[in-house]
Amino acid sequence: MLETALRLFRERGYTETTMRAIAKEAGVAVGNAYYYFDSKEHLIQGFYDRNQAAHRVAAEPVLTREKDFAARLRGVLHAGIDVNEPYHSFAATFFKSAAEPSSPLSPFSRESSPAREAAIAIFRDVVEGSSAKIDPELRKELPELLWLGWMGVVLFWVYDRSPGQRRTRRLIDGIVPLIDRLVGLSRLRVLRPALRQILALIDSIQRDD
């Protein structure tokens, strides 16, 4: 059903595709379709979960092979693009719904929390398995910050119409050395007060209801 739904979303658009149409195309009774997925939103949550599992598998070779922080991060970001590539034609249509702040499809929603935590866990492995010496307070927050950066890369990729989305690949290759340098600079004593202020600001925003 999930594969059928993704195909119909690509062909007809997310809004125009109904659960009834998905069930018919998949050769499943409508009642049975709702037994497995309560709504289209639940189908997309299933896609999120499967997508994160695929990203984990695709990233594993570089995480096993590399200890350098920049190499690990670059490999994980490129692996994420590799995993998402088959869905690029559908991504822009889908993003219109996911971008709505109140939508359960938003990557920041409560409903998306399992996939979000799985994604952050990949970036936690990037950090924890690297040989980089990172300020302890930054180390704690860095996986989520990297995930937020990944969300920005995904947004760029959604609207990237270059052949094979090569502009997104260039963006990744360009920003990783900058992130690596900033992470390295975090150890400098002179920058620690500013780092503490930034982390305190992030924490206050996260705690604000």
Side-chain angles (χ1 to χ4, degrees), residues 48-108:
Y48 280 167
D49 293 339
R50 191 184 68 173
N51 185 269
Q52 288 309 316
H55 190 182
R56 163 67 69 180
V57 171
E60 200 59 40
V62 73
L63 292 176
T64 301
R65 181 179 67 250
E66 300 287 351
K67 292 299 180 185
D68 178 71
F69 172 77
R72 290 170 71 83
L73 179 59
R74 183 183 299 108
V76 163
L77 295 178
H78 278 296
I81 296 301
D82 292 339
V83 166
N84 281 289
E85 192 277 333
Y87 310 105
H88 186 263
S89 61
F90 152 73
T93 302
F94 166 67
F95 184 76
K96 293 176 183 178
S97 298
E100 172 58 44
S102 62
S103 171
L105 302 182
S106 166
F108 302 96

Side-chain angles (χ1 to χ4, degrees), residues 1 18-24 26-40 42-43:
M1 276 193 63
T18 65
M19 283 290 287
R20 183 175 295 276
I22 294 168
K24 181 179 179 181
V28 176
V30 176
N32 288 338
Y34 279 106
Y35 176 80
Y36 290 106
F37 298 99
D38 291 343
S39 65
K40 287 194 298 182
H42 282 84
L43 273 166

Side-chain angles (χ1 to χ4, degrees), residues 125-138:
D125 285 351
V126 169
V127 174
E128 297 301 328
S130 78
S131 58
K133 293 180 172 59
I134 304 172
D135 177 89
E137 291 192 35
L138 177 60

